[in-house]
Amino acid sequence: NIEVYERDGVYQIIATEIAPLGVGVMHVQLEQTKKKLEKMGVFDVNIKKKIPLVPKKIAVVTSLTAAALQDIIHIAERRYPVCNIEVYPAQVQGTAAAQTICKALSSADKSGADTIILARGGGSSEDLMVFNDEAVALSVYACNTPVISAVGHETDTTLADYAADMRAPTPSAAAEIATPDKSDILNAVRLLRQKLDKAMELKLDKAVSQIESCDKLLKLYSPEKRLEQSEKAVCDLEKRLSQIMERRLEKLSVKLDGYVSSLNILSPFNILGRGYAIVQKDESVVDSVSMLNVGDEVDIKLSDGSVSANITFVK
């Protein structure tokens, strides 16, 4: 405000706010916004999302006429040609730039992309000021999809860089970060195939060994094997039984011969051979004269036959 003292012709300027002129004003505002976002946790490194190693689709938020877009597409096609690149156009400078960037980020986040690249080529500090806009930083922070910020040159740093999950020094570097090198993937595939072949070979060897073990066990405990064992056991038992029976018969034969010898020794027929005879009456042996009467008929057995006789007298 200006106050005038008419009497003395003195003008007095009353300052209600003091701020640096030009770039200084923007710097102060930037620091204030940065502190505000820090308190909100927008720059918290603990919540940064990992960039997918093998993306299927990458969303690029930049100007359609930017050289950075061609760099990203060229590098992505060279490194990982199977990846789909979708471009979400936005103004990267001017008064409406912040609004278009926020809208493009929202659309890219909903597209199902694996990674978002927010890119702009080099420029002056004033050209990059849109990426220091609070709304842009919050839009980057709000994305559920991992965001790589590649704004300006390697020495340029914006609030969008701090809010992003990863900062790339250049758009070309962002493309390299977002895509794997196909040669590395092919080498990894070859290595995995070798490991898989070796694992399969070991697994097959183990399976063959198990089958052979099972086959041995089946042969060992199979009904056929048990029948063979039983058959052998029966044959062994038959042999043992035959041997036992032979020994038993031999013993009985010897015993029988002893009985025969004893009988022969005690047999009355042996006595007949020495001149004796056996007298029988009515098939009963006569061992006393009292058993006979005159006129009785008797049989007399001799060693070589028998004769009949009549009793004429009893003495």
Side-chain angles (χ1 to χ4, degrees):
N1 296 320
I2 299 176
E3 293 183 354
V4 181
Y5 292 92
E6 296 180 357
R7 186 193 68 180
D8 299 329
V10 176
Y11 288 80
Q12 184 176 5
I13 299 175
I14 300 174
T16 58
E17 183 180 354
I18 298 176
L21 182 64
V23 178
V25 175
M26 291 190 296
H27 180 73
V28 171
Q29 292 176 344
L30 179 60
E31 288 299 318
Q32 291 174 346
T33 304
K34 184 178 179 181
K35 290 179 180 179
K36 177 182 177 181
L37 295 175
E38 282 179 341
K39 289 181 180 179
M40 294 172 61
V42 175
F43 306 148
D44 188 356
V45 294
N46 295 320
I47 62 173
K48 301 296 184 183
K49 296 178 285 294
K50 291 184 178 180
I51 307 302
L53 296 176
V54 185
K56 294 181 180 179
K57 181 167 70 174
I58 296 175
V60 181
V61 176
T62 190
S63 171
L64 290 175
T65 60
L69 176 59
Q70 298 305 318
D71 292 340
I72 291 172
I73 293 174
H74 175 72
I75 292 174
E77 288 180 347
R78 175 174 56 82
R79 287 174 58 85
Y80 193 58
V82 297
C83 183
N84 185 25
I85 305 293
E86 289 185 356
V87 182
Y88 292 83
Q91 297 180 24
V92 292
Q93 65 183 52
T95 56
Q99 183 180 355
T100 61
I101 291 173
C102 292
K103 184 177 179 181
L105 283 170
S106 178
S107 299
D109 191 35
K110 297 175 183 177
S111 68
D114 299 294
T115 307
I116 297 174
I117 297 178
L118 176 61
R120 187 198 191 284
S124 65
S125 299
E126 289 78 7
D127 293 335
L128 302 180
M129 280 305 295
V130 64
F131 295 96
N132 286 319
D133 189 272
E134 180 179 346
V136 172
L138 288 174
S139 294
V140 173
Y141 171 72
C143 287
N144 294 316
T145 308
V147 178
I148 301 175
S149 177
V151 177
H153 297 295
E154 187 170 356
T155 56
D156 299 319
T157 305
T158 65
L159 296 182
D161 294 329
Y162 291 119
D165 297 291
M166 182 172 286
R167 176 185 179 271
T170 62
S172 298
E176 292 183 355
I177 293 171
T179 57
D181 192 333
K182 62 183 179 183
S183 61
D184 293 338
I185 293 178
L186 292 175
N187 290 333
V189 169
R190 279 192 289 270
L191 181 61
L192 287 174
R193 173 167 288 183
Q194 291 174 0
K195 290 183 177 179
L196 180 62
D197 290 342
K198 188 174 182 180
M200 286 300 297
E201 185 177 350
L202 291 174
K203 194 171 184 65
L204 286 173
D205 290 343
K206 185 177 180 181
V208 169
S209 178
Q210 289 177 341
I211 290 172
E212 290 176 349
S213 299
C214 291
D215 185 56
K216 290 180 181 178
L217 289 173
L218 284 173
K219 289 180 180 178
L220 183 62
Y221 295 104
S222 66
E224 183 179 359
K225 185 69 175 181
R226 295 183 66 182
L227 283 173
E228 290 178 359
Q229 292 174 346
S230 300
E231 208 173 278
K232 186 176 181 300
V234 169
C235 290
D236 293 341
L237 289 173
E238 285 181 351
K239 290 180 181 178
R240 290 180 60 193
L241 181 61
S242 177
Q243 292 172 355
I244 291 172
M245 289 297 294
E246 287 179 1
R247 288 196 294 268
R248 181 71 173 166
L249 287 173
E250 288 176 359
K251 289 181 180 180
L252 290 175
S253 179
V254 171
K255 195 172 184 180
L256 180 61
D257 290 342
Y259 288 150
V260 170
S261 298
S262 299
L263 286 173
N264 287 332
I265 293 172
L266 298 175
S267 174
F269 296 106
N270 288 336
I271 300 174
L272 296 178
R274 297 199 297 270
Y276 293 91
I278 299 175
V279 180
Q280 290 180 315
K281 176 186 176 181
D282 299 329
E283 296 183 355
S284 297
V285 175
V286 176
D287 57 3
S288 174
V289 295
S290 62
M291 297 175 61
L292 298 174
N293 296 310
V294 176
D296 290 340
E297 185 177 348
V298 296
D299 291 323
I300 301 172
K301 288 188 176 183
L302 302 172
S303 62
D304 57 351
S306 63
V307 295
S308 296
N310 291 321
I311 300 302
T312 57
F313 64 94
V314 176
K315 185 178 180 178

